[in-house]
Amino acid sequence: MDPVELSLFAKRIEAICEEMGGSLKASAFSPNIRDRLDFSCALFDASGALIGQSAAIPVHLGSMAFAMQAVIEEAGEAGETDAQLVFNDPYRGGTHLPDVTVVYPIRCNGKLVGFAANRAHHADIGADSPGSMPISRRLEHEGLIITPTWVTAKGPAMERILSRLSDGGGAARGDFIAQFSANLTGARRVEEWIETASIDAFETGCRALNDYGERLARSTIAGIPDGHYRFADLLDDDGCGNRDLRIALQLQVDGEELTCDFRKSNDQVEGNVNCPRPVVAAAVFFVLRCLMPRYTPNCAGCLRPLAIVTRTGSLLDPEPGAAVAAGNVETSSRIVDVVCGALAQAIPEAIPAAAQGTMNNIAMGQTGNHPWHYYETLAGGYGASATAAGAPATHSHMTNTLNTPIEVAEWNYPLRIEAYAIRRGSGGAGRHAGGDGLTRSYRMLEPTTVTLITERRSTAPWGRNGGEEGQPGRNTLNGEVVDAKVQLELEAGDLLTIETPGGGGFGRA
């Protein structure tokens, strides 16, 4: 396949993934998917190797690329032609329980040619606390665990899933159907493509694409000086009394290959910041992908020169059953900080200061006769670089969602947003200043259960080359500081304010 043909092939794959995302956004019911765009879409070849993805959530797609082949092998053949594979089990290909993955086999002339897949965050996945992001101690406390299961849109397996949700799956039913439909859109486009070409041409293109991705990844790694580089950073706490949890990395660059050894990281903990291996892989892959050329295809070939070593029973490779709700959102963010910190020793001008290092998770709602579930993450400051100041009030690294618009939040839920502003001066000073965080205040209009899972409240985003740290974040209820990870029972009139961290500065001022 010549370079022009390969480029056209890659762009067509990317366009199909983007169309899948457009279908999902347009047909989803929940604000979390429809407005915040907390979802990702991808295509895989017949073996389960990633061949393309939409420009969406890094933690979703890197983890899917890492785990999809094993999931497909475990699930086996679908019993019905319209069935799709549904799962969220973090120990069997998922990330955390709210992220539900749906996979559809693409067949042409009776032959399996690939898979269309998407992953979307469901604010209600059956946890005891509204928003399904509890301060949990075991996986079963975090909601409904779906092992890889073939499901039809109106079949008994789908009804069993929906029956476990607090409202009987009213809005969730629409979101699941939107996920199913997005995959059908992707499958239809691939089928149309193959009708005008051939199965052999499509399979040849998939192999060429992944080989090309591997060459670009190896070229990128070859540009990093060989050596061993070490870095460590801390998570504030696990929400269950364990503090200063260490994530330690030894990064080895050897020619065109990169090895990330996390075995000296903290043991797994009681709280839910434990991080499954696919999420660890996603965080490492994200950093490597950012170093690669912009035209690099998002495919499995980019992962081939990358090795990840973990220790079973550790924070980054917990035993099955350990709580992981925050590992996907908070621990993945700190892994990015650690990988960047190690690489900064090898390629100092290419690596910025630390970004906010948290997704500032807020889950709230009510159960009972009139249940509602609200979940969002909040932006903060980006770290400054050798060439520019950090961006303010931006979702960084492992998240790529939007904010929930004030009008959408107030229209759908009994709350009022009383402040939403840039947190001036929260970015670290330096030759280039870190980006500022933001402030967002919620006035409760009814009694509401709120869960906060936040980080960088006691540790600060680090600066680089003499740049100062960004300011840590702060959470307050009616003006009084509350813990970084906490469940609160609020009354009508209570005011919750989240101040997100600023990014680190770069260079001495």
Side-chain angles (χ1 to χ4, degrees), residues 362 376 378 416-417 440-444 494-496:
I362 305 170
E376 71 172 333
L378 296 182
R416 186 167 62 241
I417 308 298
R440 189 161 164 106
S441 296
Y442 306 79
R443 180 77 67 181
M444 305 302 151
D494 282 344
L495 183 69
L496 176 69

Side-chain angles (χ1 to χ4, degrees), residues 4 42 52 174 186 240 270 302 326 430:
V4 173
C240 297
E270 183 180 10
C302 298

Side-chain angles (χ1 to χ4, degrees), residues 260-332:
C260 292
D261 187 340
F262 292 100
R263 285 178 293 181
K264 292 186 178 180
S265 296
N266 209 98
D267 290 342
Q268 71 181 65
V269 291
E270 183 180 10
N272 61 17
V273 296
N274 302 296
C275 190
R277 270 180 55 83
V279 177
V280 177
V284 176
F285 177 49
F286 166 77
V287 178
L288 177 60
R289 180 62 184 82
C290 288
L291 295 174
M292 296 169 70
R294 292 178 63 88
Y295 51 81
T296 302
N298 295 312
C299 62
C302 298
L303 291 168
R304 291 174 185 166
L306 177 64
I308 296 170
V309 183
T310 57
R311 173 172 55 85
T312 302
S314 70
L315 191 67
L316 305 189
D317 190 358
E319 297 280 2
V324 297
N328 180 60
V329 286
E330 298 304 291
T331 310
S332 69

Side-chain angles (χ1 to χ4, degrees), residues 362 364 410 414-420 439-446 448 450 452 474-482 488-499:
I362 305 170
M364 65 176 76
E410 294 184 345
L415 53 86
R416 186 167 62 241
I417 308 298
E418 295 204 348
Y420 191 32
T439 298
R440 189 161 164 106
S441 296
Y442 306 79
R443 180 77 67 181
M444 305 302 151
L445 304 183
E446 295 179 2
T448 303
V450 174
L452 301 179
R474 189 172 75 142
N475 310 328
T476 60
L477 175 61
N478 299 325
E480 299 293 325
V481 175
V482 296
L488 305 166
E489 298 297 330
L490 275 55
E491 299 296 329
D494 282 344
L495 183 69
L496 176 69
T497 298
I498 310 298
E499 299 171 87

Side-chain angles (χ1 to χ4, degrees), residues 66 85 119 140 163 188 212 228 238 329 353 359 391 400 441 502:
F66 185 78
L85 189 65
R119 178 170 284 170
E140 59 265 28
S163 70
R188 190 178 307 116
Y212 179 54
H228 295 267
D238 71 341
V329 286
M359 296 191 195
N400 191 32
S441 296

Side-chain angles (χ1 to χ4, degrees), residues 365-387:
Q366 297 176 355
T367 56
N369 294 331
H370 302 286
W372 60 276
H373 297 264
Y374 177 78
Y375 170 75
E376 71 172 333
T377 59
L378 296 182
Y382 250 101
S385 70
T387 58

Side-chain angles (χ1 to χ4, degrees), residues 25 67 123 133 163 167 191 246 286 366 389 397 434 447 455 457 507:
K25 176 184 184 299
M133 285 290 285
S163 70
D167 64 350
E191 291 161 3
R246 189 169 185 262
F286 166 77
Q366 297 176 355
H397 297 332
E455 271 288 327
R457 267 49 184 178

Side-chain angles (χ1 to χ4, degrees), residues 342-463:
L343 284 171
Q345 300 164 34
I347 43 175
E349 294 303 306
I351 303 298
Q356 67 162 337
T358 176
M359 296 191 195
N360 303 292
N361 303 268
I362 305 170
M364 65 176 76
Q366 297 176 355
T367 56
N369 294 331
H370 302 286
W372 60 276
H373 297 264
Y374 177 78
Y375 170 75
E376 71 172 333
T377 59
L378 296 182
Y382 250 101
S385 70
T387 58
T394 304
H395 288 271
S396 55
H397 297 332
M398 297 307 288
T399 180
N400 191 32
T401 62
L402 300 179
N403 67 282
T404 302
I406 292 172
E407 299 83 357
V408 171
E410 294 184 345
W411 179 263
N412 286 277
Y413 307 107
L415 53 86
R416 186 167 62 241
I417 308 298
E418 295 204 348
Y420 191 32
I422 292 177
R423 187 187 176 200
R424 301 292 181 186
S426 56
R431 185 174 78 249
H432 298 296
D436 289 330
L438 61 77
T439 298
R440 189 161 164 106
S441 296
Y442 306 79
R443 180 77 67 181
M444 305 302 151
L445 304 183
E446 295 179 2
T448 303
T449 300
V450 174
T451 305
L452 301 179
I453 299 180
T454 61
E455 271 288 327
R456 291 297 196 199
R457 267 49 184 178
S458 59
T459 63
W462 36 264

